[in-house]
């Protein structure tokens, strides 16, 4: 007798990103209670399963939902606000003053919803966010149905979210406890950077993180200037300083890492910390080049992130994969560096590892959550099709994402958002543009 399931998804190609990185043809994914119960040939699927809904995507690639391991979602409302400035001028003279005027719970919720819509339409199912009012982002995650790993911002000076480290660490701990059992949301600590957080604050963060084992996200060695200033002030590179303060561990995400020495790599290896590569943001802000191939060859887990839309200016993970691969080849002077499959891994299973969610997402495997993205293949730029992985990475195809599921819930169906009112979203974004432009 056939087994009852919720959904049967049939595709032309299926990229599992499992330990064998299998690429299957003409296979189906059986989904029940939000999880993958089987992956079987299409020819057998309808005899084996009685589905409430059978979705035949015969000209599509199915792959794990993409994992964007670094962003500032609400900054989507500042997309294009201050372009073509170097990092510190961009932050100090433009972004931080604008945030001081406009950031609020409402701003963050509205910006997060806009960012989630963009990410879903680009095939992303899980993301990392580091921004003020993480509770607002958590609320939108539950509303939209998207996975969010939210790292609450901690800085030495007052912000819209708190008076300083003492208050923001306490608020972070409260949120961590509140969301410990949530199906979609994880909360961790997000100390902004070594140059904006004191030793005392880092030590307290390390103490609390050890208690909750919730993860730390920190912008680290984003520029050579940051490294030089740290050596002058502390007599240590930023990685050495954070290692001595107990910040570096297997749940720590080191974002950017463009100025990397052999000493840094040794610390990353010993601590098992992760590196989050944001190639397009790094290029746009002229921050430097992360040596992804050297890090990966040293056994460091490297994942992929877009950064915020104010410094990218999009949240397109498929585009980010292409940029990452091409940049790695140029930096390493090696055309084989960061091949297509490795780039896709950075955006899926390696991203899930960085966020400590790989036990239930990041690959298409029996028992894992049905976090699935499909890409349509009938467009001219998809022909001929020799290698679906190469196609995803090296061809501009994010506009061909057709369907997205998170825990078996369909968030995008044939290119249409299912849990977000797109017209209301457009109207809201234009309202914010008017407010910010009028300032």
């Amino acid at each position: 007798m056939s087994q009852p399931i919720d959904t049967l998804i049939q595709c032309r190609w299926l990229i599992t990103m499992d330990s064998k990185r299998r690429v299957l043809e003409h296979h189906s994914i059986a989904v029940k209670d939000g999880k993958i119960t089987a992956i079987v040939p299409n020819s057998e699927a309808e005899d084996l399963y009685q589905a409430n809904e059978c979705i035949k995507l015969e000209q599509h690639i199915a792959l794990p939902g993409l994992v964007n391991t670094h962003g500032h979602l609400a900054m989507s409302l500042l997309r294009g606000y201050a372009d073509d400035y170097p990092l510190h001028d961009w932050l100090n003279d433009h972004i931080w003053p604008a945030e001081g005027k406009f950031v609020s719970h409402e701003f963050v919720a509205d910006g997060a919803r806009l960012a989630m819509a963009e990410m879903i339409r680009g095939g992303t199912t899980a993301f990392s966010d580091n921004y003020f009012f993480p509770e607002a982002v958590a609320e939108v995650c539950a509303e939209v149905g998207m996975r969010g790993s939210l790292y609450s911002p901690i800085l030495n000076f007052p912000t819209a979210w708190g008076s300083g480290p003492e208050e923001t660490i306490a608020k972070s701990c409260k949120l961590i406890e509140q969301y410990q059992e949530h199906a979609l949301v994880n909360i961790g600590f997000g100390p902004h950077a070594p140059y904006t957080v004191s030793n005392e604050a880092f030590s307290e963060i390390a103490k609390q993180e050890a208690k909750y084992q919730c993860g730390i996200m920190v912008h680290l060695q984003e520029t050579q200037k940051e490294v030089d200033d740290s050596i002058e002030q502390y007599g240590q590179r930023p990685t050495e300083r954070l290692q001595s303060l107990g910040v570096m561990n297997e749940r720590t995400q080191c974002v950017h890492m463009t100025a990397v020495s052999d000493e840094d790599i040794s610390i990353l290896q010993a601590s098992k910390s992760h590196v989050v590569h944001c190639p397009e943001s790094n290029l746009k802000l002229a921050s430097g080049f992360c040596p992804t191939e050297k890090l990966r060859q040293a056994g460091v887990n490297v994942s992929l992130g877009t950064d915020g839309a104010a410094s990218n200016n999009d949240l397109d993970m498929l585009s980010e994969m292409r940029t990452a691969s091409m940049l790695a080849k140029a930096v390493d002077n090696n055309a084989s560096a960061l091949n297509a499959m490795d780039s896709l891994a950075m955006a899926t299973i390696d991203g899930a590892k960085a966020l400590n969610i790989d036990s239930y997402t990041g690959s298409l495997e029996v028992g894992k959550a049905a976090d699935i993205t499909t890409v349509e293949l009938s467009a001219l730029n998809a022909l001929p099709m020799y290698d679906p992985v190469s196609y995803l990475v090296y061809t501009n195809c994010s506009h061909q994402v057709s369907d997205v599921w998170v825990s078996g819930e369909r968030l995008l169906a044939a290119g249409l958002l299912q849990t977000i009112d797109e017209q209301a979203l457009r109207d809201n974004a234009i309202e914010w543009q008017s407010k910010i432009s009028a300032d």
Side-chain angles (χ1 to χ4, degrees), residues 165-166 169 173 189 198-210 245:
E166 184 176 352
I169 291 172
C173 292
F189 295 99
S198 67
N199 283 353
E200 293 75 19
F202 271 126
S203 294
E204 181 62 22
I205 290 165
K207 175 184 172 182
Q208 295 299 330
E209 197 282 332
L245 294 170

Side-chain angles (χ1 to χ4, degrees), residues 26-55:
H26 304 295
H27 271 63
S28 298
I29 306 168
V31 178
K32 184 175 182 180
D33 298 329
K35 293 185 178 181
I36 297 171
T37 60
I39 296 174
V40 297
N42 288 345
S43 58
E44 302 173 16
E46 292 187 36
D47 291 333
L48 291 171
Y49 299 100
Q50 181 180 352
N52 292 336
E53 183 179 27
C54 183
I55 301 168

Side-chain angles (χ1 to χ4, degrees), residues 79-97:
R79 189 194 320 267
Y81 174 77
D83 286 340
D84 304 324
Y85 294 98
L87 173 64
H88 293 284
D89 293 346
W90 178 77
L91 278 174
N92 292 312
D93 300 339
H94 301 278
I95 296 301
W96 283 344

Side-chain angles (χ1 to χ4, degrees), residues 3 5 14-19 22 24 27-41 48-49 64 358-372:
Q3 179 181 337
I5 59 171
L14 196 155
I15 304 169
T16 64
M17 300 312 298
D18 62 9
S19 60
R22 293 179 301 156
L24 308 172
H27 271 63
S28 298
I29 306 168
V31 178
K32 184 175 182 180
D33 298 329
K35 293 185 178 181
I36 297 171
T37 60
I39 296 174
V40 297
L48 291 171
Y49 299 100
D358 56 303
S359 63
Y360 54 86
T361 193
S363 59
L364 300 182
E365 299 182 69
V366 172
K368 283 196 170 185
D371 295 354
I372 304 163

Side-chain angles (χ1 to χ4, degrees), residues 160-189:
W161 197 57
S163 58
E166 184 176 352
E167 181 180 1
T168 50
I169 291 172
K171 291 173 80 171
S172 301
C173 292
K174 186 176 179 180
L175 279 174
I176 289 164
E177 292 175 359
Q178 180 181 344
Y179 282 93
Q180 272 184 326
E181 303 301 322
H182 200 278
L184 296 172
V185 176
N186 299 308
I187 308 287
F189 295 99

Side-chain angles (χ1 to χ4, degrees), residues 137-418:
V137 184
E139 291 163 9
V140 180
C141 281
E143 168 196 318
V144 170
M146 201 172 182
R147 293 193 192 283
S149 295
L150 316 181
Y151 296 89
S152 51
I154 299 163
L155 298 95
N156 276 352
F157 45 83
T159 67
W161 197 57
S163 58
E166 184 176 352
E167 181 180 1
T168 50
I169 291 172
K171 291 173 80 171
S172 301
C173 292
K174 186 176 179 180
L175 279 174
I176 289 164
E177 292 175 359
Q178 180 181 344
Y179 282 93
Q180 272 184 326
E181 303 301 322
H182 200 278
L184 296 172
V185 176
N186 299 308
I187 308 287
F189 295 99
H192 173 257
Y195 56 87
T196 54
V197 180
S198 67
N199 283 353
E200 293 75 19
F202 271 126
S203 294
E204 181 62 22
I205 290 165
K207 175 184 172 182
Q208 295 299 330
E209 197 282 332
K211 173 183 175 181
Y212 293 110
Q213 298 199 351
C214 57
I216 294 173
M217 186 241 74
V218 58
H219 300 86
L220 191 60
Q221 299 187 189
E222 188 170 357
T223 64
Q224 184 60 46
K225 182 181 185 302
E226 179 189 329
V227 177
D228 295 341
D229 289 349
S230 177
I231 293 171
E232 182 178 347
Q233 182 176 359
Y234 298 100
Q236 294 177 303
R237 298 174 68 82
T239 52
E240 295 175 295
R241 178 180 160 221
L242 296 195
Q243 176 79 332
S244 70
L245 294 170
V247 174
M248 305 288 279
N249 66 44
E250 68 275 13
R251 295 175 300 277
T252 300
Q253 300 134 44
C254 306
V255 183
H256 297 299
M257 292 297 291
T258 67
V260 178
S261 70
D262 290 343
E263 296 167 285
D264 298 323
I265 293 176
S266 295
I267 289 170
L268 291 167
Q269 289 172 318
S271 64
K272 299 182 181 178
S273 298
H274 309 268
V275 168
V276 180
H277 181 34
C278 302
E280 293 183 5
S281 176
N282 291 343
L283 286 167
K284 184 167 181 280
L285 293 170
S287 299
F289 307 125
C290 177
T292 53
E293 191 67 6
K294 187 174 183 179
L295 289 164
R296 293 180 63 259
Q297 291 299 322
V300 177
N301 183 51
V302 183
S303 66
L304 201 59
T306 59
D307 210 343
S311 62
N312 186 305
N313 290 19
D314 60 47
L315 307 178
D316 185 341
M317 283 291 288
L318 288 164
S319 170
E320 212 73 35
M321 284 192 287
R322 181 184 187 187
T323 303
S325 279
M326 293 192 174
L327 185 60
K329 297 173 193 308
V331 168
D332 203 55
N333 194 28
N334 174 10
S336 299
L338 196 58
N339 64 40
M341 182 64 82
D342 289 340
S343 184
L344 182 57
M346 284 173 60
T348 53
I349 188 61
D350 293 345
K353 288 175 182 175
L355 300 182
N356 198 31
I357 58 175
D358 56 303
S359 63
Y360 54 86
T361 193
S363 59
L364 300 182
E365 299 182 69
V366 172
K368 283 196 170 185
D371 295 354
I372 304 163
T373 288
T374 62
V375 179
E376 203 265 342
L377 297 175
S378 64
L380 292 177
N381 70 337
L383 301 172
M385 175 60 65
Y386 298 112
D387 182 340
V389 178
S390 177
Y391 170 73
L392 288 174
V393 174
Y394 294 123
T395 307
N396 180 16
C397 63
S398 57
H399 60 288
Q400 291 160 232
V401 171
S402 63
D403 298 84
V404 170
W405 291 263
V406 173
S407 286
E409 294 296 320
R410 205 174 186 181
L411 306 189
L412 188 74
L416 299 176
L417 293 167
Q418 301 297 292

